[in-house]
Amino acid sequence: MNTLSRKIVMAATGLFLCFFLLIHCLGNMQLFMEPEHARLSFNAYSHFLTGNPLVKMVSYVLYASIIGHAIYALIITSKNKASGGTYKKDNRGRASKWYSRNMGVLGTIVLIFIVLHFQNFWYVYKFGQIGLDANGNKDLYAVVVAAFQELWLVVVYVIAMIALCYHLVHGITSGVRTLGLFHPKFVRWVNIVGIAYSVIICAGFAAMPIFIYITNLNN
């Protein structure tokens, strides 16, 4: 596979992951409800995601996209370094944003966060021993609340969301351009939409652990 093909795979998987983040963020908004309502609603939502065959198929695409995006990012970065084609050695580096030149570092932070996120929630939900709520669904809400009473974990999540935000700001624009959907006439609007989307999604995710930590501070 040549460099262009790898970049197309990177762009396609990246934009798919952006769409997933929107759906995931909207689902997690239930965590801001009144506690008992949030518990039943969020647990029912989690049960639906794990029990619906169509959603399961989409989840496999999600896992493949995460792995593929990470692998091709590593390959492209390695080949760029081997050929000396880094931003730092390119005159464009003077005009490019710092996050554009450090997508590898930001991506690594996000990848570590994903592993931590899967360990704390996905793995526990799938294989851990957790209780049931009043409706008989696994009480993932209790797991989330217990996890985010740890200040260090809240801080890690907020830092990861900041890294993800910068990663998305560059990645969305770059992905749209790579797939040939970037018309010069709409450059400004693509940038504005990309920035707005990145900030709103990441602020939403970062607000969740902060909200849970503060509301359970005296418990």
Side-chain angles (χ1 to χ4, degrees), residues 176-195:
V176 170
R177 183 188 292 113
T178 299
L179 294 178
L181 305 175
F182 198 93
H183 193 283
K185 184 178 179 180
F186 304 109
V187 168
R188 180 170 174 269
W189 287 109
V190 170
N191 289 335
I192 291 174
V193 171
I195 292 172

Side-chain angles (χ1 to χ4, degrees), residues 33-42 133-134 141:
M33 297 177 178
E34 185 275 330
E36 283 311 308
H37 189 189
R39 180 188 302 273
L40 297 178
S41 180
F42 183 71
D133 65 14
Y141 177 81

Side-chain angles (χ1 to χ4, degrees), residues 11 28 97 144 148 157 180 182 192 200 205 214:
N28 283 4
K97 303 292 185 180
V144 172
F148 289 137
Y157 266 65
F182 198 93
I192 291 174
I200 292 172
F205 277 121
I214 292 176

Side-chain angles (χ1 to χ4, degrees), residues 94-111:
R94 298 173 185 173
S96 63
K97 303 292 185 180
W98 70 267
Y99 52 81
S100 299
R101 301 192 301 273
N102 291 281
M103 284 292 282
V105 175
L106 294 173
T108 300
I109 294 174
V110 173
L111 183 60

Side-chain angles (χ1 to χ4, degrees), residues 2-213:
N2 58 36
T3 300
L4 179 59
S5 298
R6 295 190 188 99
K7 288 184 176 180
I8 290 175
V9 172
M10 278 278 293
T13 55
L15 293 179
F16 172 76
L17 292 173
C18 287
F19 174 73
F20 165 77
L21 286 174
L22 173 62
I23 303 301
H24 190 36
C25 187
L26 291 175
N28 283 4
M29 286 292 127
Q30 297 169 98
L31 295 171
F32 291 106
M33 297 177 178
E34 185 275 330
E36 283 311 308
H37 189 189
R39 180 188 302 273
L40 297 178
S41 180
F42 183 71
N43 290 341
Y45 162 73
S46 302
H47 177 74
F48 170 77
L49 291 182
T50 57
N52 186 283
L54 180 60
V55 175
K56 281 187 176 181
M57 291 178 60
V58 174
S59 69
Y60 296 140
V61 176
L62 170 66
Y63 304 148
S65 295
I66 294 174
I67 295 171
H69 194 76
I71 290 175
Y72 281 111
L74 181 61
I75 292 173
I76 291 173
T77 300
S78 298
K79 286 187 174 295
N80 282 343
K81 287 184 177 181
S83 62
T86 62
Y87 280 111
K88 291 181 179 180
K89 294 183 179 180
D90 194 313
N91 290 331
R92 291 175 299 174
R94 298 173 185 173
S96 63
K97 303 292 185 180
W98 70 267
Y99 52 81
S100 299
R101 301 192 301 273
N102 291 281
M103 284 292 282
V105 175
L106 294 173
T108 300
I109 294 174
V110 173
L111 183 60
I112 293 172
F113 161 76
I114 291 174
V115 173
L116 181 64
H117 184 73
F118 269 65
Q119 178 187 0
N120 285 333
F121 303 117
W122 180 86
Y123 182 84
V124 172
Y125 187 86
K126 287 284 189 180
F127 306 107
Q129 297 295 324
I130 62 177
L132 303 179
D133 65 14
N135 291 336
N137 294 317
K138 286 187 175 183
D139 199 356
L140 182 61
Y141 177 81
V143 175
V144 172
V145 170
F148 289 137
Q149 290 185 41
E150 299 288 341
L151 181 58
W152 72 268
L153 190 59
V154 174
V155 172
V156 167
Y157 266 65
V158 172
I159 292 174
M161 288 306 101
I162 294 172
L164 176 61
C165 183
Y166 282 114
H167 192 76
L168 290 177
V169 166
H170 173 77
I172 291 174
T173 303
S174 178
V176 170
R177 183 188 292 113
T178 299
L179 294 178
L181 305 175
F182 198 93
H183 193 283
K185 184 178 179 180
F186 304 109
V187 168
R188 180 170 174 269
W189 287 109
V190 170
N191 289 335
I192 291 174
V193 171
I195 292 172
Y197 176 90
S198 303
V199 171
I200 292 172
I201 291 295
C202 294
F205 277 121
M208 293 172 201
I210 294 174
F211 172 80
I212 292 173
Y213 179 79

